[in-house]
Amino acid sequence: MAAYDIKNGASGPKVFVGGLAWETTQEQLKEYFNQFGTVVDAIMPRDRDTGRSRGFGFVTFTETEGADTALGATHSLDGRALNLTAATPERIDPNAVGGDTKRLYIGDLLSTTTDEEFKAAFGVFGPMEDAIIMRHPETHESRGFGFVTYETVESANKVLAEGEVRVGGAVAKITKAAPKGGKGKGKGKGYEGKGKGG
């Protein structure tokens, strides 16, 4: 089969969907986008405290063609105009400065996330050097984030390509972590929608 000719800027089978109504469900999101191609996953991050939709999500098709077709259309769901952009995965370039980092910042964890859930979710991507959930010293509850260090850059890039990973009952966000000794955490998001739709 001939390779699909990208017409609308898709960079892969995944798209960022903004402007979602609070009442829209993941099932409705998946059903809506199935008209453009087979949808394998639809994720809508929710506020940890209220459980309410944060107004955006990610849809992954089986083929880039589905994502590209969706990007070329105008969308409305539950009375809201949707803003679609190509979802571009962050990755570690081994040849760049700091390209030897294999440490990832994991955000949006639940306070009840266990070490076992954390290690199980990220262990499937490759051998890990460590996987740590940052916890409150008094309550030992998760502070909502942690770090995973892999043995290889390839494993770390597999996780970054996902953009989000389900950990327990939450969808965790993934970014590159600053090298040890550096300040702050990795910038950006695992998947970054580029530009704003009209």
Side-chain angles (χ1 to χ4, degrees):
M1 187 175 68
Y4 175 72
D5 183 21
I6 301 296
K7 301 179 180 67
N8 301 303
S11 57
K14 195 169 192 176
V15 295
F16 169 87
V17 183
L20 291 170
W22 283 337
E23 62 268 22
T24 299
T25 65
Q26 288 186 182
E27 291 73 22
Q28 290 172 319
L29 184 66
K30 184 174 182 178
E31 182 179 353
Y32 173 81
F33 280 100
N34 262 324
Q35 64 184 297
F36 302 100
T38 304
V39 174
V40 294
D41 196 21
I43 294 174
M44 290 174 54
R46 297 187 176 276
D47 184 275
R48 287 200 306 271
D49 298 322
T50 66
R52 177 180 284 180
S53 165
R54 293 168 63 185
F56 67 91
F58 295 90
V59 174
T60 305
F61 295 88
T62 55
E63 304 288 344
T64 299
E65 181 175 356
D68 197 59
T69 302
L71 285 167
T74 300
H75 305 279
S76 178
L77 182 60
D78 287 334
R80 297 286 297 274
L82 304 182
N83 167 32
L84 262 66
T85 55
T88 305
E90 186 180 21
R91 73 181 301 275
I92 299 167
D93 182 356
N95 299 316
V97 175
D100 58 346
T101 182
K102 295 165 286 188
R103 190 167 183 249
L104 303 178
Y105 169 87
I106 316 298
D108 284 3
L109 297 173
L110 296 176
S111 61
T112 54
T113 299
T114 67
D115 292 328
E116 289 73 21
E117 289 173 332
F118 192 63
K119 291 176 181 177
F122 292 99
V124 298
F125 295 95
M128 300 180 294
E129 292 181 3
D130 62 47
I132 300 170
I133 296 175
M134 306 308 290
R135 298 185 178 278
H136 292 286
E138 296 85 4
T139 64
H140 202 58
E141 283 189 344
S142 164
R143 293 168 59 189
F145 69 95
F147 296 92
V148 173
T149 304
Y150 285 94
E151 292 183 3
T152 67
V153 170
E154 288 75 18
S155 293
N157 274 331
K158 287 180 184 178
V159 184
L160 288 171
E162 291 292 321
E164 309 90 19
V165 174
R166 294 181 186 276
V167 183
V171 177
K173 296 298 179 59
I174 320 298
T175 64
K176 292 184 290 187
K180 291 182 179 180
K183 294 182 179 180
K185 66 185 181 185
K187 294 182 179 180
K189 296 178 181 179
Y191 269 90
E192 195 74 45
K194 292 185 177 180
K196 295 182 179 180

